[in-house]
Amino acid sequence: MEHEKPLALPSDTSNTPENHQTTHICSECGKTFACWSLLLTHRKIHFQSGSSQGLEAGLKPYKCEECDLCFERKLELLKHQKIHTGEKPYQCLECGKFFRAKSTLTEHKRIHTGEKPYKCWECGKSFSQNSTLWQHNKIHSGIKSYKCLECGKCFTLRTYLQSHAKTHRGEKKKKTYKCFVCGNCFTQSSALQSHWKTHRGEKNVKCLECGRYFSSKSTLARHQKIHTGDRPFECPECGRRFMYSFELRRHQKGHKGEEPYKCGECGKGFLTRKDMRNHERIHTGEKPYNCLECGKCFSRKHTLRMHERVHSGMKPYNCIECGKSFAYKEVLWRHQQIHTREKPYQCIECGQFFRTTSNLRNHIKIHTGEKSYKCLECGKAFARSSYLTSHSRIHSGEKPFKCSECDKCFSQKDTLLKHQRMHTGEKPYK
């Protein structure tokens, strides 16, 4: 196949790669760059109006006869032509995936090894692929060459523009990146790469506040909101604030009355399928999450994690008013309302105010008579899950509350507190 001879780029003769100078100057505007590739990318700004076809011919002289796509190098064209032939001769020995080019296989292998040989000289960030580094360099050069025709917003990468364009079309992002280990899918390759760290057990990002390690900087950033108490997302309906945007979106569905997931046993509605599945364990009695320290079982993974803090003594939630620490986020929120004296949730039946929505929901059951928590042993029903848990100890004989003075055990915490007054001599009721 014959190809046209590559056209030369407009050159700065004093700044060609052959001269190996440390800085490269744009002859159009005088801006300097540390890398030759950055200068080449920057030049596109000056060619964007009026001469885009000439620039395309200069930068991408090798044309595919099948689809008319153009490429900068002959090797890239040959690699592209395998798309039309369907040829994939290179196989990854780790996961069995096939590739058209040996270089693509080499880049893919870095997913398994974690190797990132391409480093940005501006900020020090490393990448597994040279193309990803080249795209990243656009951030430093200030180039946003991809423009949305709907709203005029500009983006550094074509993929960012494509994702943005879906918002105008009302499309949801497709989860095209699949984990070959567990089958989970993701909308971005970077999210998939972060996910792989969970399988490798890799946690190399440390929180300086509590010493906990995380698999990615984004996960650490979300975690650090626990320490700062930052809640930037506010509900316009009731003023309640949230740490994360997904929490706000889920909360707003409650105002709209959206509860698409219904429990087959009692008919109760839920905002998410996960909430419904967690609720169904009340009826089945399933407790799949086991504490390795004491053997206690829980119906929710989140409840197990909170319970584990009893053994570890970890209290990551700090009150910015008085400095007191708490093991649980919900306890911190309730504590903070002591300082603000805030009780924003009102019962429409009797007008009583409450500090939290959970307290309000529990109170409303007094008016409705709802008792959705049923004992599987004797059939007795309760308004709260905590009441059912306490009642269940009658059947199991469990006595988890131990007196530190005489080692006597009790099934209820309030019974332990009453008993301890025998040792202290306290007589609160006169």
Side-chain angles (χ1 to χ4, degrees):
M1 184 186 294
E2 289 187 17
H3 302 287
E4 295 178 10
K5 184 178 178 182
L7 297 174
L9 284 165
S11 61
D12 297 312
T13 56
S14 61
N15 290 298
T16 57
E18 290 77 15
N19 290 337
H20 300 292
Q21 292 192 5
T22 55
T23 58
H24 304 277
I25 304 170
C26 175
S27 58
E28 294 286 334
C29 65
K31 195 171 183 179
T32 58
F33 298 89
C35 305
W36 176 253
S37 60
L38 278 177
L39 174 60
L40 292 179
T41 305
H42 165 77
R43 279 184 176 280
K44 293 181 182 180
I45 292 174
H46 303 298
F47 289 93
Q48 275 175 354
S49 57
S51 59
S52 58
Q53 289 184 346
L55 179 65
E56 182 74 13
L59 291 177
K60 298 182 178 180
Y62 299 102
K63 185 178 179 181
C64 174
E65 298 297 330
E66 291 285 335
C67 63
D68 293 335
L69 272 178
C70 296
F71 300 89
E72 291 182 26
R73 303 181 189 89
K74 185 176 181 179
L75 182 64
E76 290 176 342
L77 171 63
L78 295 173
K79 186 167 65 175
H80 161 78
Q81 285 172 332
K82 290 177 182 176
I83 294 171
H84 302 296
T85 63
E87 182 186 357
K88 289 185 178 182
Y90 303 100
Q91 185 180 15
C92 174
L93 299 178
E94 285 286 330
C95 63
K97 196 173 182 181
F98 286 91
F99 298 90
R100 294 187 183 94
K102 189 176 181 180
S103 59
T104 313
L105 171 60
T106 304
E107 289 178 347
H108 166 80
K109 284 178 178 177
R110 293 181 188 134
I111 292 170
H112 304 296
T113 63
E115 182 189 3
K116 293 184 178 180
Y118 301 101
K119 186 176 181 180
C120 173
W121 298 110
E122 291 283 336
C123 65
K125 196 173 182 181
S126 297
F127 301 88
S128 60
Q129 298 180 21
N130 189 31
S131 59
T132 314
L133 171 61
W134 185 80
Q135 290 173 343
H136 166 80
N137 283 335
K138 289 183 177 180
I139 296 169
H140 300 298
S141 62
I143 294 173
K144 291 186 178 180
S145 50
Y146 301 100
K147 187 175 181 179
C148 176
L149 299 177
E150 289 285 334
C151 63
K153 196 172 182 180
C154 295
F155 300 88
T156 54
L157 304 178
R158 183 186 284 109
T159 53
Y160 291 172
L161 172 59
Q162 289 169 347
S163 295
H164 167 77
K166 290 176 182 177
T167 62
H168 295 297
R169 296 195 297 266
E171 294 180 23
K172 290 185 177 180
K173 291 182 179 179
K174 291 183 180 179
K175 295 184 176 182
T176 53
Y177 300 95
K178 187 175 182 179
C179 174
F180 57 83
V181 177
C182 65
N184 277 346
C185 295
F186 301 87
T187 55
Q188 296 179 343
S189 60
S190 58
L192 174 58
Q193 288 168 4
S194 295
H195 167 77
W196 272 327
K197 291 180 181 179
T198 61
H199 294 300
R200 296 198 297 263
E202 184 182 339
K203 291 185 178 182
N204 50 16
V205 186
K206 185 180 179 180
C207 173
L208 299 178
E209 288 286 333
C210 63
R212 193 174 167 188
Y213 283 88
F214 298 88
S215 57
S216 66
K217 288 181 180 178
S218 59
T219 313
L220 171 62
R222 287 197 298 269
H223 161 79
Q224 284 174 329
K225 289 181 180 179
I226 292 170
H227 303 299
T228 62
D230 183 27
R231 291 194 205 168
F233 303 100
E234 183 177 352
C235 174
E237 290 284 330
C238 64
R240 190 175 172 186
R241 303 186 72 89
F242 298 88
M243 288 184 179
Y244 312 114
S245 58
F246 76 88
E247 288 181 329
L248 172 59
R249 287 195 298 270
R250 187 171 61 189
H251 166 79
Q252 286 175 319
K253 287 180 180 179
H255 290 301
K256 296 175 184 176
E258 292 181 30
E259 290 183 339
Y261 302 98
K262 303 290 182 183
C263 173
E265 286 288 327
C266 63
K268 191 173 182 181
F270 297 90
L271 295 174
T272 66
R273 183 181 284 109
K274 182 181 177 182
D275 289 341
M276 182 187 71
R277 286 173 179 167
N278 286 332
H279 164 81
E280 285 172 341
R281 293 184 183 132
I282 295 169
H283 304 296
T284 63
E286 182 189 3
K287 293 184 178 182
Y289 302 103
N290 187 29
C291 175
L292 299 177
E293 287 285 332
C294 64
K296 195 172 182 181
C297 296
F298 300 88
S299 60
R300 301 188 185 193
K301 191 175 183 179
H302 173 67
T303 314
L304 169 61
R305 285 177 178 168
M306 291 198 297
H307 164 79
E308 285 171 342
R309 291 175 189 160
V310 174
H311 303 296
S312 66
M314 185 171 72
K315 293 183 178 181
Y317 304 100
N318 301 316
C319 175
I320 57 175
E321 288 288 332
C322 64
K324 196 173 181 181
S325 298
F326 300 89
Y328 312 117
K329 179 168 58 177
E330 294 80 6
V331 182
L332 170 61
W333 289 348
R334 287 198 296 269
H335 165 81
Q336 285 174 330
Q337 285 166 348
I338 294 170
H339 299 298
T340 62
R341 301 183 184 277
E342 182 186 2
K343 288 187 177 181
Y345 306 103
Q346 186 179 17
C347 174
I348 57 173
E349 288 287 333
C350 63
Q352 194 172 342
F353 286 89
F354 298 88
R355 288 198 177 101
T356 65
T357 52
S358 60
N359 287 344
L360 173 59
R361 283 196 298 268
N362 287 329
H363 166 80
I364 288 171
K365 290 176 183 177
I366 296 171
H367 301 295
T368 62
E370 180 189 351
K371 292 183 178 180
S372 54
Y373 302 96
K374 191 175 182 180
C375 177
L376 299 176
E377 290 286 334
C378 64
K380 193 173 182 181
F382 300 89
R384 300 189 189 187
S385 61
S386 58
Y387 294 167
L388 173 60
T389 303
S390 297
H391 166 81
S392 297
R393 295 182 188 130
I394 296 170
H395 303 295
S396 65
E398 183 189 4
K399 294 183 177 182
F401 302 101
K402 187 177 181 180
C403 176
S404 57
E405 290 288 332
C406 64
D407 292 340
K408 194 172 181 180
C409 295
F410 300 89
S411 60
Q412 311 295 336
K413 189 175 181 179
D414 58 344
T415 313
L416 169 62
L417 294 173
K418 289 176 185 176
H419 163 81
Q420 285 175 330
R421 291 178 190 143
M422 293 170 56
H423 302 295
T424 62
E426 183 186 357
K427 294 180 179 179
Y429 307 108
K430 294 181 181 180

